[in-house]
Amino acid sequence: MPMPSRCDLLIRGAGVFSVHTGEILPADVVVTGDLIRAVAAPGVRIEAERVLDADGLIVAPGYIDAHMHIESSLLTPAEFARITLPRGTTTVLADPHEIVNVAGRDAMAWMIEQGRGAAQTMLWAVPSCVPALEGFETAGSSLTAEDIAEMLDWDGVTTLGEVMDYRAVVAGSPRMRSIVDAARRKGVRLDGHCPNLTGDDLGEYLWAGIDSDHTKNTPEVAVEKARLGMLLMLQEKCLSAELVRRLHELPVLPDFCLVTDDLAADAILDRGHLDHIARVALDAGMSPATVLRALTLHPARRLGLDDRGVVAPGKRADLVLLRALDDPTPVTVVCGGRVVAGDDTAGPTPDNPFADSVRLAPLEEADCVWRADLPDGEHTFRALRVNPVDTFTEPAEVVLPVRDGVVHWEGRTAVLAVYERHHGTGRRTMAPVVGFDLAEGATATTYAHDSHNLTVVATDAGALRRAANRVIGSGGGICVAVTGRPDVHLPLPVGGVMSTAPAPEVAAGAGAVREALHGWGWLHRNAFMSVSTMTLPVSPQIKLTDLGLVRVVDRAWEDPVVA
């Protein structure tokens, strides 16, 4: 059939990047509706409703994020799309396990509905681990295999979300087996989460049908996973020069995706989204063509999206116009055939059915006391050692005095305190934290993976109470209270994990919290993730939940007192 005489959009004078061959070929791109009608020789004669002069620019496919969590931006879906689409992210697969751990099926339905009006394509994964580690934490909700099987049929759902309880899969846990089997019967993809899983255990995980991993691995384990066909999804903390070098030493470079996983609003507005991850990959030694394939073709194939990821006739017109292959931040973005306007105007404030999810009364002085059934004297307590680079926490030891059943920690150590906030049990736990030299103060948050109980790190009981009560009073959020400085507080009233405010306002608040954490002494390259994952009992090596200390790899309880 001959090319029509008219089109809706003509991108003229560009070089078109082929993700299949790595070439840049001069061509005009003809768009009709939301599809690419033709990639034609330069100077094609056709009338167009709109012409984009792309002389000197490169047309590449729009970016696809195959693993991420919208809640980690602290924004609602529409606001997330509004700030990431102009950075080139035209499609995402979102796993809403943060808000679903708080409010269950209703929360996932709400997220899907909130994303319907976005120009960005939002596909969804049903969370597989709600709670993340059954029996070791208290979440706000619980999903059964029957729930998950039903939700996998919801509109826009394509995937079983990351199977974080990898030890239960390897051990053949009936609950995890039923969830994985339900997904396999539905014929959906099964996403993984298995840091440094290796050998026969990795084989069992793959045997279950889980064939991707986005966690940080040693280069040796990453190569082992790639050899077995497990799709590596590389986020920022994975992209070391050592890993890139090791992958390129292989006879064939394995397919992989670049993903964001968790990026807060301030980081997105300051550095970018997938375009930022692309720059990190380039700095680690990847070639521009390899990076672009990992942003487009590979995630499209992973998600079964045969209609995108390539600049070719018949494909969806999701496109980025770049100055150069090694400059991944777009000059212009086209999504579904429409030029993205980059409008700074926020949409209407969404409804918030999860405003009363923090079911905690304000803390009293007695709630900040660490009690232990121990005789008077000096005792060695198990501690969590944090580091400035990633979210791994190693076991450590701290000696503290106990008098009349009270552990005297102030002035001796920082503590991590977790308060159950979903069911009104009044349960709380405490453990020492070491690794940073912190001033007198505290930080409190209800954004705390994945059960999102109220989590506080403190060096002072008064600051602990003050920060916690600011968060409780706002229906959730993050507060940093350092002695001698004004409190910094970011309300997150949507389930305690998101804000309904416009992105710039949330980003300003998140940036202020990040700066306050650094000023307090929490000198981590991603302070949000460092604090918020100390309660995640599937993230090695030792974590604290509202039920106690967890040895993650062993999937067992850790005695809080070292014998």
Side-chain angles (χ1 to χ4, degrees):
M1 183 175 68
M3 190 184 303
S5 59
R6 293 186 57 83
C7 69
D8 296 312
L9 175 65
L10 176 62
I11 304 174
R12 188 184 294 283
V16 173
F17 175 71
S18 170
V19 293
H20 290 293
T21 67
E23 298 170 286
I24 301 174
L25 303 173
D28 293 344
V29 181
V30 180
V31 176
T32 299
D34 61 356
L35 299 178
I36 299 170
R37 179 62 182 83
V39 179
V44 62
R45 294 182 177 276
I46 186 170
E47 293 187 30
E49 187 72 24
R50 180 171 183 178
V51 176
L52 279 182
D53 182 0
D55 186 38
L57 300 178
I58 299 169
V59 179
Y63 304 151
I64 301 169
D65 197 341
H67 179 83
M68 54 80 62
H69 310 282
I70 289 174
E71 305 99 304
S72 294
S73 71
L74 312 178
L75 304 170
T76 54
E79 277 298 286
F80 169 84
R82 190 169 69 85
I83 65 169
T84 56
L85 186 54
R87 304 301 291 246
T89 304
T90 54
T91 301
V92 300
L93 175 70
D95 178 350
H97 67 203
E98 314 299 354
I99 188 70
V100 174
N101 263 283
V102 173
R105 294 161 56 108
D106 290 346
M108 178 147 185
W110 183 83
M111 291 289 284
I112 293 173
E113 184 60 34
Q114 292 297 314
R116 289 192 198 283
Q120 185 180 68
T121 300
M122 288 186 175
L123 303 175
W124 299 91
V126 176
S128 63
C129 296
V130 179
L133 193 60
E134 187 182 35
F136 287 82
E137 62 183 336
T138 306
S141 183
S142 178
L143 294 185
T144 65
E146 291 73 22
D147 291 326
I148 289 169
E150 180 184 334
M151 295 162 74
L152 286 169
D153 287 330
W154 289 3
D155 185 41
V157 173
T158 67
T159 303
L160 181 70
E162 57 180 296
V163 182
M164 296 183 290
D165 194 357
Y166 56 98
R167 289 293 167 190
V169 174
V170 171
S173 151
R175 177 174 183 266
M176 286 312 306
R177 185 187 298 119
S178 66
I179 289 171
V180 168
D181 287 349
R184 295 191 73 168
R185 285 194 298 271
K186 293 291 183 180
V188 300
R189 290 155 200 86
L190 284 72
D191 276 351
H193 170 121
C194 55
N196 285 320
L197 193 65
T198 184
D200 291 342
D201 288 349
L202 175 60
E204 288 299 307
Y205 196 68
L206 286 163
W207 168 254
I210 307 160
D211 60 353
S212 74
D213 183 39
H214 67 279
T215 62
K216 185 178 181 181
N217 299 283
T218 66
E220 292 73 23
V221 173
V223 168
E224 179 185 1
K225 291 177 175 179
R227 283 192 186 115
L228 295 172
M230 178 172 263
L231 182 67
L232 300 178
M233 296 183 174
L234 303 179
Q235 56 175 297
E236 182 173 3
K237 67 182 180 183
C238 304
L239 288 165
S240 68
E242 183 183 5
L243 174 63
V244 171
R245 183 171 60 253
R246 187 69 186 89
L247 291 176
H248 280 87
E249 288 171 352
L250 297 171
V252 174
L253 181 67
D255 290 353
F256 62 89
C257 301
L258 294 175
V259 300
T260 61
D261 197 12
D262 300 287
L263 286 181
D266 62 319
I268 295 170
L269 287 181
D270 182 38
R271 300 194 299 270
H273 193 244
L274 277 172
D275 57 320
H276 166 64
I277 306 301
R279 282 189 294 275
V280 174
L282 290 166
D283 290 343
M286 289 185 184
S287 72
T290 297
V291 167
L292 282 171
R293 284 167 61 89
L295 292 174
T296 58
L297 179 64
H298 296 164
R301 286 175 171 172
R302 169 64 185 176
L303 301 181
L305 299 175
D306 297 330
D307 66 338
R308 67 196 72 189
V310 180
V311 183
K315 303 299 184 183
R316 181 175 164 88
D318 287 352
L319 306 166
V320 292
L321 277 62
L322 308 175
R323 293 182 180 87
L325 288 187
D326 60 358
D327 183 358
T329 299
V331 176
T332 302
V333 177
V334 176
C335 186
R338 296 179 177 272
V339 177
V340 174
D343 185 6
D344 289 334
T345 304
T349 301
D351 66 299
N352 179 12
F354 312 113
D356 299 317
S357 68
V358 181
R359 300 180 178 96
L360 273 174
L363 300 189
E364 303 290 343
E365 285 187 19
D367 299 318
C368 306
V369 175
W370 182 0
R371 299 191 177 277
D373 186 15
L374 293 169
D376 286 1
E378 302 282 314
H379 295 272
T380 303
F381 291 86
R382 177 64 68 209
L384 290 78
R385 180 176 297 280
V386 294
N387 70 79
V389 177
D390 55 36
T391 57
F392 281 34
T393 46
E394 296 179 334
E397 298 177 1
V398 172
V399 177
L400 296 172
V402 176
R403 301 286 185 273
D404 299 324
V406 174
V407 182
H408 292 263
W409 56 273
E410 291 183 87
R412 296 175 173 87
T413 184
V415 296
L416 172 63
V418 181
Y419 295 80
E420 193 279 314
R421 61 101 160 178
H422 301 290
H423 307 292
T425 64
R427 185 166 46 244
R428 68 181 187 272
T429 56
M430 286 187 174
V433 175
V434 299
F436 292 126
D437 184 14
L438 302 174
E440 188 176 281
T443 183
T445 179
T446 52
Y447 175 80
H449 301 272
D450 274 345
S451 54
H452 300 288
N453 286 306
L454 176 64
T455 299
V456 190
V457 181
T459 58
D460 172 77
L464 186 160
R465 183 182 176 196
R466 187 167 82 248
N469 285 343
R470 286 293 299 274
V471 168
I472 292 169
S474 62
I478 309 170
C479 179
V480 183
V482 178
T483 301
R485 303 176 191 174
D487 293 354
V488 177
H489 178 219
L490 173 62
L492 299 173
V494 184
V497 297
M498 289 182 289
S499 172
T500 59
E505 181 179 328
V506 177
V513 167
R514 198 183 302 273
E515 183 178 352
L517 285 170
H518 290 167
W520 181 40
W522 199 272
L523 301 177
H524 193 279
R525 70 179 183 184
N526 189 343
F528 277 144
M529 289 303 296
S530 176
V531 171
S532 69
T533 54
M534 288 195 295
T535 58
L536 180 57
V538 294
S539 176
Q541 294 179 7
I542 185 169
K543 303 294 177 182
L544 181 70
T545 75
D546 67 300
L547 297 177
L549 283 164
V550 182
R551 291 202 313 271
V552 174
V553 174
D554 297 333
R555 206 171 184 267
W557 293 112
E558 174 77 13
D559 194 324
V561 180
V562 180

